Amino acid sequence: MSAWRACQGELADRASRWVMRRVYPGGMVLHARRWWTADGLAGRTDQSLALARTSEGQLLAQTLELPPERLLLREVA
């Protein structure tokens, strides 16, 4: 955890704290009572992600399992 805290501020322009969320079947993530997704998340079902808001208001996801990825999520309408 100390290594994660050390690098989290260096890797993204974020405007909020990191929160943990689970990837549901179909690559869906529930955050703020809304469903979000990104290309490549379907293969990460049941994994955990760290989420934060960027300074532009987008939702940024950091995968915690290998291979690591940074993804901008989009809201599912």
Side-chain angles (χ1 to χ4, degrees):
M1 288 304 292
S2 62
W4 172 247
R5 283 189 206 100
C7 76
Q8 71 183 8
E10 299 173 15
L11 299 176
D13 180 24
R14 60 185 179 81
S16 68
R17 292 181 170 236
W18 292 99
V19 295
M20 301 293 290
R21 295 292 183 262
R22 177 178 171 240
V23 180
Y24 289 91
M28 305 297 285
V29 177
L30 182 61
H31 179 70
R33 292 181 269 188
R34 297 179 181 160
W35 288 101
W36 303 81
T37 192
D39 295 335
L41 277 184
R44 293 187 176 269
T45 300
D46 292 327
Q47 291 184 12
S48 294
L49 301 173
L51 302 180
R53 288 275 177 193
T54 67
S55 57
E56 293 85 33
Q58 296 176 302
L59 196 57
L60 177 69
Q62 169 68 54
T63 61
L64 302 178
E65 302 205 17
L66 296 175
E69 292 182 83
R70 285 265 167 123
L71 307 162
L72 283 175
L73 301 182
R74 63 184 178 279
E75 188 175 357
V76 177

